[in-house]
């Protein structure tokens, strides 16, 4: 069973069936379902046909709730009948969900919440009796009544199929296919601040240019793929969720101090994926407390962390950190002397390596604060990681 994290606040399960009873023409591409299960289960929410059917079946609010419940997703299959199972969860929260999906276009969904579970389907023969996979899932929640929402709403499968037809979704499907090809790096991809890198020094002219395509410049003549936008040493970037790479380029997103975003291909050789190991070089960042001052935030669907820094004397800063993961929390505070772009907090200074407790290292970049924590810094899953941006 493979696991992949999307971001959310609860738990869910998805089963995709490719049995001989499916409609002659697949509504959901079964080869892609197998690929999602094998490589990246969270893609089920990006796939235009699947997400449209789910939204139409559940309503927008219920769909958003389902998506939150499918935070950390694992997958297995296909089984003897061609069924795939996608299971999601988020630590520390009690809600659960299950979705069954077959290539022919039938869906079955159940969500827990409060004192009951709600059930949805576009398969008329299953309105009052869920399929075996959902019944087996319900063993964990036998004390909860199951309400058939679709029976009450009198769901019309043909209307869902019409609203989610390939013709109506043609533009979305074409765009998604381009992104899936791995040749497209543009807005619409997911980028995460905890998948971070920083620009190294030594680039020609001191600039790392964005490229529209992963094609190096020719030895002579015009470089058509190179954009006007460029980064400089100590700029931080977010990498794509799938870590797209091609021809020595990586897909990245730069977020300026004012929040403006630039997306494109960057030469991988220009980036350091471990910003804490970035040489100080000629950088004069971080020598003055006022350069560190501010509230630096990172927010994700299932976790968040914040570092608030105040000046305290001519060469010192007061650092207060807070982080959450589900229902769990953690924090730290310290007064630290600054002399350059990196600082460190150690819960038990002077102790042996294994007894130092929570250790938080920070690197000041041009546009962000890179933070990384080790050890136990709070409840389960709590930590500080990746790029944090000043409010």
């Amino acid at each position: 069973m493979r696991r992949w994290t999307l971001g959310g606040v609860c738990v869910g399960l998805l089963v995709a069936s490719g049995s001989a009873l499916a409609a002659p023409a697949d509504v959901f591409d079964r080869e892609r379902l197998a690929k999602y299960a094998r490589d990246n289960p969270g893609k089920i929410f990006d796939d235009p046909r699947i997400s449209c059917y789910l939204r139409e079946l559940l309503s927008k609010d219920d769909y958003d709730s389902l998506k939150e419940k499918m935070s950390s997703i694992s997958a297995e299959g296909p089984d003897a009948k061609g069924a795939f199972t996608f299971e999601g969860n988020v630590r520390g929260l009690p809600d659960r969900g299950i979705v069954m999906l077959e290539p022919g276009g039938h869906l079955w969904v159940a969500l827990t919440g409060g004192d009951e579970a709600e059930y949805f389907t576009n398969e008329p023969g299953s309105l009052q009796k869920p399929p075996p996979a959902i019944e087996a899932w319900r063993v964990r929640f036998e004390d909860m009544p199951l309400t058939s929402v679709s029976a009450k709403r009198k769901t019309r499968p043909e209307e869902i199929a019409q609203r989610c037809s390939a013709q109506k979704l043609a533009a979305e499907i074409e765009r998604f296919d381009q992104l899936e090809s791995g040749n497209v790096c543009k807005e619409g991809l997911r980028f995460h601040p905890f998948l971070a890198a920083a620009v190294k020094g030594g680039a020609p002219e001191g600039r790392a240019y964005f490229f529209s395509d992963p094609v190096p410049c020719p030895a002579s003549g015009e470089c058509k793929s190179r954009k006007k936008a460029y980064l400089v040493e100590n700029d931080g970037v977010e990498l794509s969720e799938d870590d797209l790479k091609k021809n020595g380029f990586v897909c990245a997103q730069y977020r300026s101090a004012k929040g403006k975003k630039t997306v494109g291909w960057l030469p991988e050789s220009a980036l350091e994926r471990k910003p804490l190991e970035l040489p100080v070089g000629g950088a004069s960042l971080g020598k003055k407390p006022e350069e560190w001052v501010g509230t630096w935030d990172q927010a994700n669907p299932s976790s968040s962390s914040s570092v608030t820094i105040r000046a305290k004397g001519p060469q010192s800063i007061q650092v207060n950190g807070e982080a959450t993961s589900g229902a769990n929390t953690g924090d730290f505070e310290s007064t630290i002397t600054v002399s350059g772009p990196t600082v460190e907090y150690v819960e038990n200074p002077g102790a042996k390596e294994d007894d130092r407790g929570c250790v938080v290292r920070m690197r000041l970049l041009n546009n962000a604060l890179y933070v990384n924590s080790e050890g136990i810094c709070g409840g389960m899953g709590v930590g500080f990681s990746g790029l944090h941006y000043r409010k």
Side-chain angles (χ1 to χ4, degrees), residues 264-292:
W265 297 98
L266 288 171
E268 188 169 17
S269 60
L271 300 178
E272 171 58 66
R273 287 175 176 259
K274 298 179 180 180
L276 288 171
E277 297 182 7
L278 200 67
V280 173
S284 59
L285 287 174
K287 293 181 179 180
K288 300 177 181 179
E290 53 266 31
E291 296 179 74
W292 296 85

Side-chain angles (χ1 to χ4, degrees), residues 15-19 21-23 27-28 33 100-108:
V15 176
S17 171
S19 70
L21 297 179
V27 174
F28 313 126
L33 286 173
M100 294 180 62
L101 180 155
E102 68 168 5
H106 292 140
L107 301 91
W108 300 263

Side-chain angles (χ1 to χ4, degrees), residues 44-55:
I44 59 174
F45 292 111
D46 297 329
D47 187 296
R49 296 299 295 277
I50 297 175
S51 60
C52 182
Y53 267 72
L54 286 170
R55 284 195 306 269

Side-chain angles (χ1 to χ4, degrees), residues 34-195:
K35 182 180 178 181
Y36 300 159
R38 181 181 67 249
D39 300 331
N40 194 340
K43 285 288 185 181
I44 59 174
F45 292 111
D46 297 329
D47 187 296
R49 296 299 295 277
I50 297 175
S51 60
C52 182
Y53 267 72
L54 286 170
R55 284 195 306 269
E56 293 293 335
L57 178 66
L58 273 69
S59 80
K60 182 182 183 303
D61 289 344
D62 290 330
Y63 172 76
D64 289 343
S65 178
L66 172 70
K67 200 171 176 181
E68 290 176 347
K69 295 171 196 258
M70 303 288 284
S71 173
S72 177
I73 306 178
S74 59
E76 62 182 9
D79 62 14
K81 294 183 178 181
F84 297 87
T85 300
F86 300 74
E87 184 174 354
N89 68 82
V90 171
R91 294 182 295 267
L93 294 171
D95 289 353
R96 298 283 194 276
I98 179 172
V99 178
M100 294 180 62
L101 180 155
E102 68 168 5
H106 292 140
L107 301 91
W108 300 263
V109 182
L111 304 173
T112 66
D115 299 325
E116 67 173 2
E118 294 182 324
Y119 170 60
F120 308 79
T121 184
N122 66 343
E123 206 284 299
S126 302
L127 284 173
Q128 300 296 342
K129 183 174 177 55
I134 287 183
E135 292 288 7
W137 171 82
R138 283 199 66 209
V139 170
R140 289 173 282 177
F141 321 108
E142 290 180 335
D143 57 331
M144 287 187 177
L146 185 67
T147 301
S148 178
V149 177
S150 295
K152 290 183 177 181
R153 292 178 180 173
K154 299 182 179 179
T155 299
R156 297 174 64 87
E158 64 277 10
E159 292 181 358
I160 295 178
Q162 184 179 17
R163 289 193 286 266
C164 297
S165 67
Q167 291 77 14
K168 286 187 178 293
L169 298 174
E172 290 183 49
I173 292 173
E174 181 181 4
R175 179 171 173 273
F176 180 72
D177 289 344
Q178 289 179 342
L179 294 175
E180 282 294 283
S181 71
N183 294 323
V184 178
C185 176
K186 60 192 295 186
E187 290 186 21
L189 291 173
R190 283 196 177 95
F191 296 89
H192 286 304
F194 49 79
L195 299 174

